[in-house]
Amino acid sequence: MPKDIIIDIKHLSKSFGDKKVLEDINLYVRKGEFITLLGPSGCGKTTLLRQIAGFIAPDEGQILLEGKDISSIPPYKRPLNTVFQRYALFPHLDVYDNIAFGLKLKGVPQDEIDTRVKKMLKMVSMSDYEDRSVDSLSGGQQQRVAIARALVNMPKVLLLDEPLAALDLKMRKDMQIELKELHQKMGITFIYVTHDQEEALTLSDTIVVLNEGRIQQIGTPTDIYNEPCNSFVADFIGESTILNGTMIRDRRVEFMGHEFDCVDEGFGENNPVDVVIRPEDVYIMSRLDGAQFTGTVKSCIFKGVHYEMYVDTDKGYELMVQDYNGFEPGSTVGLLIKPSDIQVMRKERLCNTLEGEMVDETHVSILDAEFECLPQEGLEAGTKVTVEVGFDKVDLLDHQEEGATGGEVSFLLYKGNHYHLTVLTDSGEHLWVDTDDIWDKGDLVGINILPADLKITRKDD
Amino acid sequence: MIKRSSWSIPYLAFLILFVALPLVLILVYALQDGTGHFTLSNITRFFSDKDSLSTFAVSIEVAVENTLLCILLGYPAAWILANKKLNRSAVTIILFMLPMWINALMRTLATAELFNMFGITLGKGTLLFGMVYDYLPFMIYPIYNVLDRMDNSYAEAAGDLGATPWTVFWKVTVPLSMPGVRSGILMVFMPTVSTFAISEFLTNNKIKLFGTIIQENINSSMWNYGAALAFIMLIIIGITTVLTGGRDAEAAGGAI
């Protein structure tokens, strides 16, 4: 392990009640690094940051600061400081006293406090404001004071919890640049939490993508953007079309009903894969010869720098394309994708695999409910079994009570010609479903599976 | 069509009849002698009357003591009630407010009976007991209100900057809850200055308060002097309100 590691998180887990917020988080942070925890709301990123700060105690696992476990040390003894989302500046103190708060507690001599506070104020360009009350400051100014209040203590690590979320777009862009400069000047390690992927790409040395309490990918901004490791990351970072494909052999992949050359190797032969196409990587032209495939423009919207178009391809897939030239809706176009712009990802799973138990010869218990199955020979009641169900074999119903069990749609992915849904079942398990029907995130659904679609095998121990 | 501004006429009439007019009457009576001639003698009489002055001093003393006792008892109670870890139910808050649903006179009478039953001599101690008992909820509630609505991130931020829980309490929680304390002082101090029922029942009129002598004067038809005393009391209440930053404190949620 490299020597310059400042924070090392090992097997960290946390639950609130029944809900697992973080599961087995392993992460290290290098000294001086700008690392961003990125994910949608509820992914556990803020919980992770608050555990590092010490406001929440982890259920399991360790947080090491320079090799020492700090997980049981209260926040006021940790050499870390936090910039809070809504600043949390003390309204009964003026700007100067807010910034001096931490130094006074540490018993730093008054003249040193004075120099350090003034230097810090200068650094965040707030020199003339030291006597102002914090209520009289604008959002951006309050944010600067909050950052100064934390940085003046020279923490080993600065934790920032969505510090720019409350600012308007223009202000946010300016503050991003200032934060980056501040980080370079001070040389302090920054751990930054945001749900804004653009902010993460702009600021970070390293991005940690989180979803549903698990780390999805750790990498540099370019790695995360160009080589997302799964469909969640590809969908969350930037615009993309994610499609089912088949790796025919090394450097040759089939998707959207066509074969393409690509640069990926080591996925085996004739193996199902996910393919990510960034909309800016698709070449669109009015000439049809020389194109790999053709399509019809369905819609075209001007976005300032480029046009954003949805194209129906010749084999019935929908593809997002961005180009400097716009094409009239209804026009036939030729399309081309370069081998290096095709990102191939291993599929996380090929079908649903569920743990269950035989109830009798024709019934099996999975997802805390009873499902009818074809007669199973040699599997007496009580036998532990593994049940496989294809993504397209799960029926979703409008009403929860009509299904054998119920669930909630928790994630949607459009795969060019169908939706790939993640359903959180009432039993707390995940079920992945391919469907042509349109569902929304948060929809409550009933779940049914036909007897013939349950593939049951004895669970080998 | 009736103009919208005319909707306020009933309320305006109410204010004039029951608030402005009585205040004017108090002033008029205070500045008249028995025969209806203008005089300042009622006011000057108060400042030269040793009995009235000492009663006034006792009233202020009792009111200050009562207010301090209410803060000492009420602040920790409010803090515990507002602390989500120590108090998870709204029922305890209602229990603290429950005595206010019973008429204060009845509670005071019952308290006096209890003292009699246990053979406790009525005096300053019983007076303060009764006052604290009557006015404590008025101190707890505004403080609780401020503490309950206080953003927890202030305490977290202070802890993050190196403050121990004890320091957090004194440097952040207490200063930020001052509007609630001010509002509580306003609601406890002013009524205690003018109360007479509690001292009547709980000391058998051994200790006279300012409210008592106003009541005695009015009862014995000395309206002019009574009005002058009431006027002086109004001035004192006015001064207290200004000193505690009335508007600010009311905003902190004195409403019950």
Side-chain angles (χ1 to χ4, degrees):
Chain A
M1 193 183 289
K3 257 191 179 171
D4 59 343
I5 282 175
I6 186 153
I7 281 194
D8 195 0
I9 295 167
K10 287 178 174 167
H11 305 293
L12 199 72
S13 292
K14 180 75 193 171
S15 303
F16 291 137
D18 290 342
K19 197 178 182 308
K20 278 218 157 190
V21 188
L22 290 172
E23 267 185 275
D24 196 28
I25 298 290
N26 289 288
L27 176 68
Y28 64 83
V29 181
R30 276 191 291 268
K31 204 166 273 177
E33 193 174 21
F34 196 128
I35 189 164
T36 300
L37 309 176
L38 174 68
S41 59
C43 72
K45 56 190 190 298
T46 297
T47 309
L48 179 54
L49 192 82
R50 289 172 62 80
Q51 289 186 69
I52 300 173
F55 302 130
I56 308 176
D59 293 343
E60 281 167 50
Q62 287 181 311
I63 301 168
L64 305 179
L65 176 73
E66 294 178 323
K68 270 176 280 177
D69 188 6
I70 57 164
S71 13
S72 54
I73 295 178
Y76 58 89
K77 286 189 186 154
R78 299 190 187 194
L80 316 170
N81 286 112
T82 309
V83 177
F84 292 84
Q85 185 171 4
R86 277 177 296 131
Y87 323 135
L89 296 175
F90 306 123
H92 61 296
L93 301 177
D94 63 16
V95 169
Y96 182 96
D97 285 332
N98 259 286
I99 300 176
F101 193 89
L103 297 177
K104 279 184 186 161
L105 286 172
K106 287 187 192 74
V108 177
Q110 186 57 45
D111 49 337
E112 195 193 326
I113 293 182
D114 213 45
T115 15
R116 278 169 74 174
V117 170
K118 294 222 160 103
K119 198 178 141 207
M120 207 58 235
L121 276 166
K122 202 172 163 202
M123 214 150 195
V124 296
S125 11
M126 291 283 291
S127 285
D128 298 333
Y129 292 85
E130 50 183 89
D131 297 327
R132 289 276 288 272
S133 87
V134 291
D135 290 334
S136 69
L137 303 179
S138 72
Q141 290 169 334
Q142 291 192 20
Q143 188 56 71
R144 285 160 207 260
V145 176
I147 291 166
R149 183 178 70 175
L151 277 178
V152 79
N153 302 291
M154 299 299 283
K156 293 210 159 117
V157 179
L158 183 71
L159 309 170
L160 303 106
D161 183 8
E162 306 219 21
L164 309 183
L167 304 178
D168 62 60
L169 184 69
K170 181 84 174 58
M171 195 73 202
R172 199 153 66 220
K173 300 268 179 211
D174 293 346
M175 282 302 288
Q176 282 176 9
I177 296 165
E178 284 187 38
L179 266 179
K180 185 103 187 160
E181 283 174 1
L182 216 51
H183 172 250
Q184 279 156 0
K185 259 190 254 171
M186 308 271 301
I188 289 175
T189 313
F190 279 34
I191 304 182
Y192 193 94
V193 160
T194 184
H195 63 269
D196 182 340
Q197 42 104 4
E198 202 187 312
E199 197 164 287
L201 294 171
T202 311
L203 291 172
S204 322
D205 298 322
T206 305
I207 296 177
V208 180
V209 185
L210 283 158
N211 187 39
E212 297 193 328
R214 288 170 184 278
I215 292 180
Q216 304 292 321
Q217 188 170 4
I218 303 176
T220 64
T222 38
D223 281 350
I224 299 267
Y225 188 85
N226 291 332
E227 282 159 49
C229 71
N230 62 35
S231 51
F232 172 81
V233 178
D235 183 63
F236 190 71
I237 312 281
E239 307 271 15
S240 61
T241 308
I242 299 165
L243 300 149
N244 287 334
T246 308
M247 201 71 188
I248 294 164
R249 54 179 185 274
D250 279 355
R251 295 165 184 272
R252 189 80 176 159
V253 64
E254 182 273 334
F255 60 92
M256 291 198 296
H258 294 274
E259 280 189 25
F260 295 86
D261 284 329
C262 65
V263 292
D264 296 273
E265 293 174 1
F267 288 88
E269 287 188 6
N270 292 318
N271 271 337
V273 288
D274 277 328
V275 177
V276 183
I277 305 295
R278 297 287 182 191
E280 68 271 21
D281 290 339
V282 181
Y283 290 85
I284 182 166
M285 50 215 169
S286 45
R287 264 186 324 130
L288 300 185
D289 53 315
Q292 287 165 314
F293 57 106
T294 61
T296 314
V297 177
K298 195 163 77 175
S299 69
C300 178
I301 298 163
F302 182 56
K303 288 275 187 178
V305 179
H306 58 259
Y307 290 87
E308 185 173 287
M309 288 163 278
Y310 282 96
V311 177
D312 284 329
T313 71
D314 47 2
K315 294 279 165 64
Y317 288 83
E318 189 183 273
L319 190 65
M320 190 204 270
V321 182
Q322 289 172 353
D323 202 277
Y324 296 122
N325 300 310
F327 290 82
E328 281 292 305
S331 54
T332 305
V333 289
L335 298 154
L336 187 137
I337 305 167
K338 282 201 297 193
S340 60
D341 290 335
I342 296 169
Q343 163 67 11
V344 177
M345 302 183 299
R346 207 173 292 280
K347 273 189 179 292
E348 286 157 89
R349 60 194 71 78
L350 301 171
C351 68
N352 293 297
T353 309
L354 304 161
E355 305 287 316
E357 194 181 295
M358 294 308 294
V359 179
D360 55 42
E361 245 191 19
T362 56
H363 288 89
V364 62
S365 160
I366 44 171
L367 305 167
D368 289 350
E370 227 171 83
F371 285 83
E372 198 185 333
C373 59
L374 298 179
Q376 302 291 320
E377 275 176 37
L379 292 175
E380 64 274 19
T383 314
K384 301 265 183 236
V385 290
T386 302
V387 181
E388 292 189 338
V389 184
F391 295 139
D392 54 342
K393 304 296 186 197
V394 182
D395 282 332
L396 296 184
L397 310 164
D398 278 321
H399 301 286
Q400 273 189 301
E401 55 273 17
E402 285 171 13
T405 181
E408 186 186 330
V409 177
S410 66
F411 183 61
L412 297 130
L413 196 62
Y414 187 59
K415 297 201 111 174
N417 63 348
H418 68 273
Y419 286 93
H420 186 65
L421 308 183
T422 308
V423 177
L424 182 64
T425 65
D426 291 345
S427 59
E429 289 161 271
H430 284 116
L431 208 57
W432 287 271
V433 183
D434 281 345
T435 173
D436 292 332
D437 300 331
I438 294 170
W439 298 93
D440 278 320
K441 196 176 166 177
D443 278 350
L444 298 177
V445 292
I447 297 166
N448 259 352
I449 303 166
L450 290 177
D453 295 329
L454 292 166
K455 243 182 80 188
I456 302 175
T457 46
R458 183 187 290 274
K459 189 183 171 192
D460 28 56
D461 300 300
Chain B
M1 207 181 94
I2 308 166
K3 267 205 262 169
R4 192 173 279 197
S5 59
S6 56
W7 293 2
S8 65
I9 287 175
Y11 304 99
L12 210 61
F14 179 89
L15 280 176
I16 291 170
L17 264 175
F18 296 104
V19 182
L21 198 61
L23 283 174
V24 172
L25 281 177
I26 288 178
L27 194 62
V28 168
Y29 272 85
L31 298 177
Q32 277 180 359
D33 58 15
T35 56
H37 290 101
F38 172 81
T39 175
L40 283 174
S41 63
N42 291 320
I43 312 277
T44 48
R45 182 174 151 200
F46 168 73
F47 288 103
S48 54
D49 181 357
K50 267 204 171 145
D51 275 359
S52 296
L53 279 179
S54 73
T55 312
F56 178 71
V58 170
S59 292
I60 297 290
E61 188 198 317
V62 168
V64 168
E65 283 166 352
N66 177 37
T67 310
L68 285 177
L69 279 172
C70 281
I71 294 175
L72 282 177
L73 290 170
Y75 198 99
W79 188 81
I80 290 167
L81 285 177
N83 191 318
K84 304 275 180 304
K85 275 185 210 142
L86 296 174
N87 173 40
R88 285 161 201 262
S89 100
V91 177
T92 39
I93 298 159
I94 293 172
L95 282 178
F96 267 86
M97 298 298 128
L98 203 65
M100 289 204 293
W101 298 354
I102 299 163
N103 185 285
L105 273 180
M106 276 166 77
R107 273 183 291 146
T108 313
L109 275 170
T111 319
E113 282 312 310
L114 279 175
F115 282 137
N116 283 335
M117 200 171 95
F118 292 113
I120 296 165
T121 334
L122 299 179
K124 179 105 184 262
T126 53
L127 175 67
L128 276 176
F129 181 92
M131 286 196 164
V132 170
Y133 175 48
D134 261 356
Y135 290 106
L136 189 59
F138 294 98
M139 183 61 79
I140 293 179
Y141 194 77
I143 301 177
Y144 162 77
N145 232 345
V146 172
L147 288 176
D148 188 49
R149 274 187 289 174
M150 195 182 293
D151 196 337
N152 190 38
S153 60
Y154 293 129
E156 279 185 353
D160 187 73
L161 292 165
T164 59
W166 184 249
T167 321
V168 172
F169 178 76
W170 286 109
K171 294 230 161 170
V172 177
T173 313
V174 169
L176 286 180
S177 63
M178 280 332 270
V181 176
R182 278 201 291 272
S183 173
I185 291 174
L186 221 56
M187 292 174 77
V188 171
F189 182 78
M190 294 185 328
T192 11
V193 175
S194 61
T195 181
F196 62 90
I198 298 178
S199 65
E200 192 176 329
F201 295 133
L202 286 180
T203 69
N204 278 335
N205 267 347
K206 265 189 261 172
I207 298 175
K208 279 189 190 175
L209 296 182
F210 204 55
T212 322
I213 56 166
I214 299 178
Q215 183 228 10
E216 281 174 358
N217 276 295
I218 304 242
N219 271 1
S220 48
S221 294
M222 293 165 73
W223 286 44
N224 300 92
Y225 189 45
L229 293 176
F231 180 68
I232 290 165
M233 199 181 68
L234 270 177
I235 304 265
I236 296 162
I237 290 172
I239 292 170
T240 334
T241 315
V242 171
L243 285 183
T244 48
R247 253 176 195 281
D248 184 27
E250 272 162 43
I256 294 169

